[in-house]
Amino acid sequence: MDAQVKFSLRDAPHEMIERAVKVRAENVNVFYGAKQALKDVNVGIPERGVMAFIGPSGCGKTTFLRCINRMNDTIAIAKVTGRIVIDGENINDRKVDVVELRSRIGMVFQKPNPFPKSIFENVAYGPRIHGLATSKSALEEIVVSSLKRAGLFDEVKERLHDAGTGLSGGQQQRLCIARAIAVEPEIILMDEPCSALDPIATARIEELMEELAKIYTIVIVTHSMQQAARVSQRTAFFHLGNLVEDGPTDVIFNNPKDKRTQDYITGRFG
Amino acid sequence: MASRLSAAQRRRIRIRERIIESALFLAATSSVLVTGGIVFVLLYESAAFFEHVPVITFLTDTVWTPLFADPRYGIMPLLCGTLVSTLVALAVAAPLGLTAALYLSEFAGPRVREFIKPTLELLSGVPTVVYGFFALLFVTPILQKIVPGLPGFNMLSAGIVIGIMIIPYVASLSEDAMRAVPQGLRDASYGLGATKLETAVKVVLPAATSGVAAAFVLGISRAVGETMIVAIAAGTQPNLTLDPREPAATITAFIVQVALGDLPHGSLPYQSIFAAGLMLFLLTLAFNIFSFWLRARYREVY
Ligand SMILES: Nc1ncnc2c1ncn2[C@@H]1O[C@H](COP(=O)(O)OP(=O)(O)OP(=O)(O)O)[C@@H](O)[C@H]1O
Ligand SMILES: [Mg+2]
């Protein structure tokens, strides 16, 4: 069982705050065919808050993120070993219902990927398949509140039945976030959610993450060090499939233990 | 910046470009011209036909007997034959073709797919005469055991076999459309906790609507234009009925039956072939326009 672990949070740097580990990776290895993409990764992700994963391209950030909701299952050649423990349960166990697991974990992708359906139908998709709404009005309520929490409602309230693919890139990404939170997940995984967006759209998403982190556990992969510093309380650094170090964001950025982390932070490689 | 080519060289290049462009233009337009020529002949001969038979009679008369001593030219029986056999074919090919496409695109592993898809496409290489006899000698006897009193020639058997014939078209084209759906949409659906089936039916299929519709329309066009199977298995007697258990001739069956006999050029029965052909042309044109509209209406934006 996971003990309560102390995490130092950036907004309270001088005291250690008790916070449960929501997700713990134990000796996680991932292979794509013969190629090993992750090597013995051990890391804990605290409940409620934002944890950032950084590292050079190809180091395994996306691969790690996709371990948390077992999306690697959908890749035929991918093989995952080790334990991923969420709320005390090893999700790599064969008994685990993947579909149920994924309904508890939202995912936002690098490229906005709204369904070619209306804005309404995009958000209603998850609640529909999980039977979360018992009536039409309940469904509408879920859709509206999800869009509101994603900060998109005011921009689209007049055209809920227009195609979601007709929105701007930043709006599409917020639609994808609304779609993810509509099923009330506990964890939200975001894989470079702002990489296709301009600074203004990025700022909106970052604001939104801060808001969402009050309720959800957010795991974000980002190439932008500034973004990691702005939004996260904890940061982990990956390099060539190894988790080099993790810790409070301010420590990782200001006082990293490992030379590789330091080189990456200061822009010497990657 | 100074040009490295002399004026004469540049002119030569320009002329060569012109010539190549014109050659390409001719190649591209020749197919349009041929189509235009065919339509012209159809219209020209049909116009002569419609001088003797009013369009209204052609469309509303319920008897088609151009070769009788007392000829009647009502296209309705042939149209019904075509319609019924096509509908039966579609009832067979749409569910089977769609299911096969969904399976191949979303569920089958690469090894299974590499085996099934070429096999399926091989089916479209079977000559339609073979299908015709398959319908007449194999399917009809089986149907006769199930449907009491089924005559030896009937549209049901012909339609079913046409359906089997067009399954590869429908399945193969639909599968292409489904596979063109970006992986990101499937990931989004799986990420929300959807099952494979939910993802296939609620995300992939709707996203591939226009391609699937195009596949259906192509299948329908094939069914409408199919000749051998209906001529062999459904008979060549024009019959005004919507009952698939009855024998009936289709437009194509009539054309092939009559065109093989030696009709004098310019005679009314000769021209009736063109009128029937025009009808067929308009029918397929309507389907194509419909598919065009479908595609515009449900155009995917990924
Ligand atoms: N589906 C796959 N099949 C085979 N190899 C893969 C697959 N996905 C990722 N890899 C390999 O695994 C390694 C880690 O990839 P991953 O996508 O996790 O990197 P990343 O850190 O997310 O990189 P980026 O920052 O560029 O997104 C890479 O070497 C990559 O080539
Ligand atoms: Mg990545």
Side-chain angles (χ1 to χ4, degrees), chain A residues 32 35 37 55-63 75 77 110 192 223:
Chain A
Y32 292 111
K35 187 178 179 305
S57 191
C59 65
K61 305 179 296 290
T62 298
T63 302
I75 301 173
I77 58 166
Q110 177 168 0
E192 299 182 43
H223 267 141

Side-chain angles (χ1 to χ4, degrees), chain A residues 98-164:
Chain A
V98 179
V99 164
E100 192 270 339
L101 171 78
R102 292 196 190 128
S103 72
R104 282 165 33 206
I105 303 176
M107 191 164 205
V108 178
F109 298 80
Q110 177 168 0
K111 193 167 162 264
N113 55 358
F115 299 128
K117 302 174 187 281
S118 71
I119 293 169
F120 185 93
E121 286 301 322
N122 262 282
V123 183
Y125 183 81
R128 275 225 169 96
I129 59 176
H130 296 300
L132 298 185
T134 45
S135 66
K136 202 159 166 267
S137 63
L139 185 66
E140 268 163 27
E141 213 173 289
I142 292 177
V143 170
V144 169
S145 79
S146 303
L147 284 169
K148 277 186 179 150
R149 280 192 292 162
L152 185 62
F153 185 68
D154 289 336
E155 285 157 70
V156 300
K157 60 177 178 236
E158 255 90 58
R159 47 178 173 146
L160 285 181
H161 296 285
D162 291 1

Side-chain angles (χ1 to χ4, degrees), chain B residues 8-299:
Chain B
Q9 269 175 321
R10 259 184 282 142
R11 205 176 52 233
R12 255 208 319 275
I13 289 175
R14 222 174 28 235
I15 290 173
R16 203 179 58 195
E17 291 279 305
R18 273 274 170 73
I19 293 174
I20 293 174
E21 202 185 304
S22 324
L24 292 177
F25 176 76
L26 275 181
T29 42
S30 63
S31 64
V32 178
L33 288 177
V34 170
T35 312
I38 293 173
V39 174
F40 174 77
V41 172
L42 271 182
L43 287 175
Y44 183 80
E45 297 282 355
S46 304
F49 172 80
F50 286 121
E51 269 170 24
H52 296 96
V53 180
V55 177
I56 295 294
T57 314
F58 180 71
L59 291 178
T60 54
D61 195 349
T62 54
V63 182
W64 180 263
T65 52
L67 304 179
F68 284 17
D70 166 33
R72 302 260 304 265
Y73 297 99
I75 193 74
M76 286 285 266
L78 297 182
L79 206 56
C80 281
T82 295
L83 217 65
V84 171
S85 57
T86 300
L87 282 178
V88 173
L90 201 62
V92 171
L96 287 179
L98 207 56
T99 316
L102 265 180
Y103 171 73
L104 284 177
S105 145
E106 303 302 307
F107 295 91
R111 295 247 299 284
V112 179
R113 179 167 43 232
E114 286 333 307
F115 171 73
I116 294 188
K117 210 176 173 198
T119 313
L120 206 60
E121 278 163 5
L122 215 64
L123 270 183
S124 55
V126 177
T128 53
V129 184
V130 177
Y131 277 116
F133 280 101
F134 172 67
L136 183 66
L137 304 177
F138 183 76
V139 177
T140 301
I142 293 178
L143 287 175
Q144 279 172 327
K145 293 208 182 89
I146 305 168
V147 186
L150 191 71
F153 291 124
N154 62 81
M155 292 186 282
L156 186 60
S157 168
I160 289 174
V161 174
I162 295 174
I164 294 172
M165 182 194 75
I166 62 174
I167 284 175
Y169 296 93
V170 174
S172 185
L173 281 177
S174 304
E175 199 239 7
D176 289 344
M178 290 174 194
R179 292 244 273 163
V181 172
Q183 183 60 31
L185 294 185
R186 294 187 186 88
D187 284 347
S189 175
Y190 291 138
L192 285 163
T195 62
K196 247 181 160 176
L197 186 65
E198 283 164 342
T199 304
V201 175
K202 294 182 179 158
V203 173
V204 177
L205 189 58
T209 308
S210 76
V212 170
F216 277 22
V217 172
L218 183 85
I220 292 174
S221 298
R222 291 276 324 195
V224 167
E226 177 44 41
T227 312
M228 270 341 239
I229 299 175
V230 279
I232 294 171
T236 47
Q237 274 308 315
N239 185 358
L240 182 65
T241 176
L242 290 174
D243 184 350
R245 288 170 303 186
E246 294 207 18
T250 61
I251 302 177
T252 53
F254 163 75
I255 293 177
V256 71
Q257 176 210 0
V258 175
L260 292 180
D262 27 23
L263 290 170
H265 264 239
S267 67
L268 205 52
Y270 172 83
Q271 286 161 345
S272 75
I273 295 176
F274 290 92
L278 183 66
M279 195 68 217
L280 201 59
F281 172 73
L282 291 178
L283 211 58
T284 25
L285 188 69
F287 279 123
N288 286 344
I289 291 173
F290 178 58
S291 102
F292 211 76
W293 175 83
L294 264 183
R295 247 183 286 186
R297 173 87 172 64
Y298 296 101
R299 194 165 53 93

